[in-house]
Amino acid sequence: MSKTYRWGIVGPGRIAHRFADAISHIKNAQLQAVASTNMQRAEDFAQKYSIPDHYDNYEQLFFNDMVDIVYVATTHNFHCDNSVCALKAGKHVLCEKPMAVNASQVKQMIKSAQSNNVFLMEAMWTRFLPMMAEVRDVIRKGTIGTPQYLHADFGVNFEFDPQSRIFNPNLAGGALLDIGIYCFALASMVLGKPSNISSSIKMTETGVDGRSTVLLEYDGGQVAVLLQAIDMETPAEALIIGSKGTIKLHRRWTSGSKYTVTVNKRTEKTYKAKTHKNGFVYQIRAVHECIDAGKTECELMSLDETLSIAETMDALRAQWGFRYPFE
Amino acid sequence: MSKTYRWGIVGPGRIAHRFADAISHIKNAQLQAVASTNMQRAEDFAQKYSIPDHYDNYEQLFFNDMVDIVYVATTHNFHCDNSVCALKAGKHVLCEKPMAVNASQVKQMIKSAQSNNVFLMEAMWTRFLPMMAEVRDVIRKGTIGTPQYLHADFGVNFEFDPQSRIFNPNLAGGALLDIGIYCFALASMVLGKPSNISSSIKMTETGVDGRSTVLLEYDGGQVAVLLQAIDMETPAEALIIGSKGTIKLHRRWTSGSKYTVTVNKRTEKTYKAKTHKNGFVYQIRAVHECIDAGKTECELMSLDETLSIAETMDALRAQWGFRYPFE
């Protein structure tokens, strides 16, 4: 039995609630502290999840000796600053996706984790889902041959609100960082780093990317097409075509458990991976296992890969001439 | 009851057999003549379908007074020449898809049809299928709102054979003209003419396009992604995402009858359009109706649209630096 890890959460928003719930399902995890710039919010969160310590600033949490790992759940624009502060204080960090708004920030974070010899990972929780493990197995076994083409869509028709995080350029809103990241991470998992990028972009009135279709090309001639939108509902399905067959991930593939494997047009079989109701538990367990093993990063969602994905997104935004106001 | 039309077929290959079978299911259609450069082939075909006249050259068929409409089923590279000869002889022409290998040839054909005041149409038979009529209805009624995104794939893993029509640049082989045309015609039907094109291309050893992924952008911000391949099997499905819902066309969408309409994530319903076992009958009936009505083109597959699709394909090949040897 591994040791019990005490978590600190900064940014007790919607996703932090889901995270806190996940912690409650994990034996060797407990919540030690929560911090918000709004004291009432910190207090309410602490009370709801019976968290011993709560603060109206992040520093106190970072310097709390009882905290082993910090979960950064603030808005994207703060991920880098918050994580670096926590890493400098010697805390391990699990940072919500996207790990940062650009590759330059990701590099800072990696450097900080390395110089402080602590663990850092992007909270790409979907990668740790049982379905994704099974899909990787199917690919590894060569069942569908070599992956050649990937299509993934993830679009949510959010109600337009210039004030909301998702439409606000100052908070690094937009489809790409918020939900597109899932598509990019899937393409990265299956096909690696692209060598060429084309795209179509539609900006919102507030100046963030509302909808984009991205065509990624890889050195071996493989192609990925990714559709992400915050102004349109899409089926939220993914398709991987290999040289011998295909894998379909059913709606919503990002949190899903159902997938269909077709080999040579003939045998088609649909599987359902047994999945915990809170899909966050898998990434949390992975973090624990890595730290138990003395690792400072997780092979399944390595820092190199997080950086590579950030670089692809940077290249894409450069094509669009799109910079966040604070960049 | 309309008059009976007598058809002449030039190029009695695989597709001509399917066409001849379709004619046998249509009351007011009959086969009058068949022509091949190979006399034995013409004779065998004539015998199989009880066709009165057969020739070892096309001219005799074009000048046969008994022939009302010529079906051009030769290889792509001959479509323009064969059609123009038939049109000049005063025959109506249904020309296999693609109507020609480039826009310049399409223009010649249109000009010839107009100056001879006869009917001309590209045999884009899929457009006339009952499923496609129903899909157009769903879109017209606004059930899925305004179409915003289209994805269509059509890939067949043909055995590589440098001699076969499909891999031969001299016969205008390649994925684009042979099966990609279906995807482009669907995108054209739903979204019109694109204003911008990006793509990924993989050529075969023989120098034709083996596989391409094409991203088409439209003036209203809509996007279509088309995947066509002659070296890889794909699911052969199509997806139309609208502002209120989606339509999925099931495998193989090009000849299919099954489609699913989803509105606002909630109501999902799968339909099966009643379809004749030979899907060619619908386009043949459409040709008859147009000619009955004295029309020289068919609104549902107009000459303007055929030209527009050819222009898009020309633009794409220009991006690839790909010309057929005879161009």
Side-chain angles (χ1 to χ4, degrees):
Chain A
M1 182 67 193
S2 67
K3 66 164 279 194
T4 290
Y5 290 98
R6 292 157 303 185
W7 288 77
I9 296 177
V10 298
R14 195 180 51 80
I15 203 158
H17 281 279
R18 191 162 166 212
F19 187 85
D21 172 74
I23 291 283
S24 75
H25 296 290
I26 297 177
K27 275 186 188 159
N28 62 326
Q30 62 186 50
L31 293 173
Q32 180 63 39
V34 60
S36 171
T37 49
N38 178 321
M39 184 53 114
Q40 188 61 52
R41 228 170 153 203
E43 203 174 309
D44 291 349
F45 196 91
Q47 196 170 1
K48 182 170 181 185
Y49 297 100
S50 308
I51 301 173
D53 310 321
H54 65 271
Y55 309 109
D56 67 353
N57 67 87
Y58 303 154
E59 286 68 29
Q60 279 183 277
L61 185 146
F62 298 150
F63 288 100
N64 182 330
D65 285 341
M66 298 287 282
V67 171
D68 301 306
I69 317 170
V70 172
Y71 172 60
V72 174
T74 49
T75 52
H76 308 149
N77 52 314
F78 292 124
H79 286 183
C80 178
D81 279 356
N82 299 157
S83 295
V84 168
C85 287
L87 295 164
K88 280 186 180 166
K91 303 303 184 195
H92 303 298
V93 168
L94 176 67
C95 180
E96 224 358 273
K97 28 90 1 211
M99 197 159 88
V101 299
N102 57 40
S104 160
Q105 290 190 347
V106 169
K107 281 180 193 163
Q108 279 181 60
M109 295 161 84
I110 294 175
K111 204 174 159 189
S112 182
Q114 287 172 343
S115 60
N116 291 288
N117 197 33
V118 285
F119 179 88
L120 172 64
M121 189 177 94
E122 181 174 23
M124 185 48 70
W125 62 281
T126 51
R127 177 159 303 187
F128 298 88
L129 292 173
M131 176 179 76
M132 286 299 176
E134 294 183 18
V135 165
R136 284 190 298 272
D137 263 357
V138 171
I139 294 172
R140 197 178 298 123
K141 284 177 188 157
T143 310
I144 63 158
T146 311
Q148 298 289 324
Y149 182 84
L150 183 148
H151 185 269
D153 70 87
F154 191 12
V156 179
N157 194 2
F158 289 105
E159 199 181 341
F160 182 68
D161 173 6
Q163 302 306 318
S164 89
R165 176 181 72 81
I166 205 104
F167 290 100
N168 189 338
N170 295 306
L171 303 180
L176 190 64
L177 288 195
D178 208 62
I179 59 182
I181 183 82
Y182 289 113
C183 301
F184 283 78
L186 181 69
S188 174
M189 182 182 96
V190 177
L191 296 169
K193 187 169 190 179
S195 50
N196 195 45
I197 308 174
S198 323
S199 66
S200 166
I201 176 66
K202 193 176 180 184
M203 304 298 282
T204 65
E205 285 174 41
T206 51
V208 298
D209 57 307
R211 187 191 305 178
S212 63
T213 307
V214 180
L215 194 162
L216 301 173
E217 294 181 88
Y218 300 82
D219 279 340
Q222 303 91 332
V223 168
V225 175
L226 312 177
L227 166 64
Q228 39 275 321
I230 52 174
D231 65 350
M232 180 176 78
E233 188 74 25
T234 74
E237 292 171 342
L239 168 70
I240 302 164
I241 305 178
S243 49
K244 292 183 189 168
T246 65
I247 306 173
K248 272 190 212 182
L249 312 186
H250 296 257
R251 176 176 175 85
R252 280 184 172 171
W253 69 267
T254 46
S255 52
S257 59
K258 215 172 118 187
Y259 63 101
T260 300
V261 180
T262 308
V263 180
N264 287 331
K265 297 182 278 181
R266 287 185 298 268
T267 42
E268 178 178 301
K269 199 171 170 191
T270 297
Y271 302 86
K272 202 169 183 315
K274 201 179 166 187
T275 310
H276 193 283
K277 64 180 176 178
N278 188 325
F280 280 17
V281 300
Y282 303 101
Q283 68 173 351
I284 297 171
R285 286 186 193 138
V287 171
H288 289 184
E289 283 164 21
C290 287
I291 296 174
D292 272 347
K295 293 177 183 169
T296 53
E297 65 179 303
C298 176
E299 281 160 23
L300 196 53
M301 189 66 233
S302 73
L303 295 172
D304 267 359
E305 191 179 350
T306 288
L307 178 60
S308 158
I309 295 169
E311 283 168 348
T312 300
M313 288 183 156
D314 279 3
L316 196 52
R317 286 200 295 124
Q319 280 184 8
W320 301 341
F322 172 35
R323 294 171 72 89
Y324 303 107
F326 51 81
E327 278 187 304
Chain B
M1 184 63 191
S2 68
K3 67 165 277 195
T4 289
Y5 291 98
R6 292 158 305 187
W7 288 77
I9 296 177
V10 298
R14 195 181 52 80
I15 204 158
H17 281 278
R18 192 163 166 210
F19 186 86
D21 172 73
I23 291 283
S24 75
H25 297 291
I26 297 177
K27 275 185 188 162
N28 61 326
Q30 61 186 50
L31 293 173
Q32 180 62 41
V34 60
S36 171
T37 49
N38 178 322
M39 184 54 116
Q40 188 59 51
R41 230 173 151 200
E43 204 173 309
D44 291 348
F45 195 93
Q47 196 170 0
K48 181 169 182 184
Y49 298 101
S50 309
I51 301 173
D53 309 321
H54 64 272
Y55 310 108
D56 67 354
N57 66 85
Y58 303 157
E59 287 66 29
Q60 279 183 276
L61 185 145
F62 298 151
F63 288 99
N64 181 330
D65 285 342
M66 298 288 281
V67 171
D68 302 305
I69 316 171
V70 172
Y71 171 60
V72 174
T74 50
T75 53
H76 308 150
N77 52 314
F78 292 123
H79 286 183
C80 178
D81 279 358
N82 298 158
S83 296
V84 167
C85 287
L87 294 163
K88 279 186 180 166
K91 302 303 183 197
H92 303 298
V93 168
L94 175 67
C95 180
E96 226 355 276
K97 31 101 337 226
M99 198 160 88
V101 299
N102 56 39
S104 160
Q105 289 190 349
V106 169
K107 281 180 193 163
Q108 279 182 59
M109 296 160 83
I110 294 175
K111 204 174 160 189
S112 182
Q114 286 171 344
S115 60
N116 291 289
N117 197 32
V118 285
F119 180 87
L120 173 63
M121 190 177 93
E122 181 174 22
M124 184 49 69
W125 61 283
T126 52
R127 178 160 301 190
F128 298 89
L129 292 173
M131 176 179 76
M132 286 298 178
E134 294 184 19
V135 165
R136 284 191 297 273
D137 263 357
V138 171
I139 294 172
R140 198 179 296 121
K141 283 176 189 159
T143 310
I144 63 157
T146 312
Q148 298 290 324
Y149 182 84
L150 182 149
H151 185 268
D153 71 87
F154 192 12
V156 178
N157 195 3
F158 289 105
E159 199 180 344
F160 182 69
D161 173 6
Q163 303 306 316
S164 89
R165 175 182 70 82
I166 204 103
F167 290 100
N168 189 337
N170 296 306
L171 303 180
L176 190 64
L177 288 195
D178 207 64
I179 60 182
I181 183 82
Y182 289 114
C183 301
F184 283 78
L186 181 69
S188 174
M189 182 183 96
V190 177
L191 296 169
K193 187 169 190 180
S195 49
N196 194 45
I197 309 175
S198 323
S199 66
S200 168
I201 175 65
K202 194 175 179 182
M203 304 297 283
T204 65
E205 283 173 43
T206 52
V208 299
D209 57 307
R211 187 193 304 177
S212 64
T213 307
V214 180
L215 194 161
L216 302 174
E217 294 181 87
Y218 300 82
D219 279 339
Q222 302 92 332
V223 168
V225 175
L226 313 176
L227 166 65
Q228 39 274 321
I230 52 174
D231 65 350
M232 180 176 78
E233 188 74 26
T234 74
E237 292 171 342
L239 168 71
I240 302 164
I241 305 178
S243 50
K244 291 182 189 169
T246 65
I247 307 173
K248 270 189 214 183
L249 312 186
H250 296 257
R251 175 175 177 86
R252 276 183 174 173
W253 70 266
T254 46
S255 52
S257 59
K258 214 171 118 188
Y259 63 101
T260 299
V261 180
T262 307
V263 181
N264 287 331
K265 298 182 280 181
R266 287 186 298 268
T267 41
E268 178 178 301
K269 199 172 171 191
T270 297
Y271 303 86
K272 203 170 182 315
K274 202 179 167 186
T275 310
H276 195 284
K277 64 180 175 177
N278 189 325
F280 280 17
V281 300
Y282 304 101
Q283 68 172 351
I284 297 170
R285 286 186 193 137
V287 170
H288 289 183
E289 282 164 20
C290 286
I291 297 174
D292 272 348
K295 293 177 183 170
T296 53
E297 65 179 304
C298 176
E299 281 160 23
L300 196 53
M301 189 67 232
S302 74
L303 296 172
D304 267 358
E305 192 180 348
T306 288
L307 178 60
S308 159
I309 294 169
E311 283 167 347
T312 300
M313 288 184 158
D314 279 3
L316 196 52
R317 287 201 294 123
Q319 281 185 7
W320 301 341
F322 172 35
R323 294 170 73 89
Y324 303 108
F326 51 81
E327 276 187 307

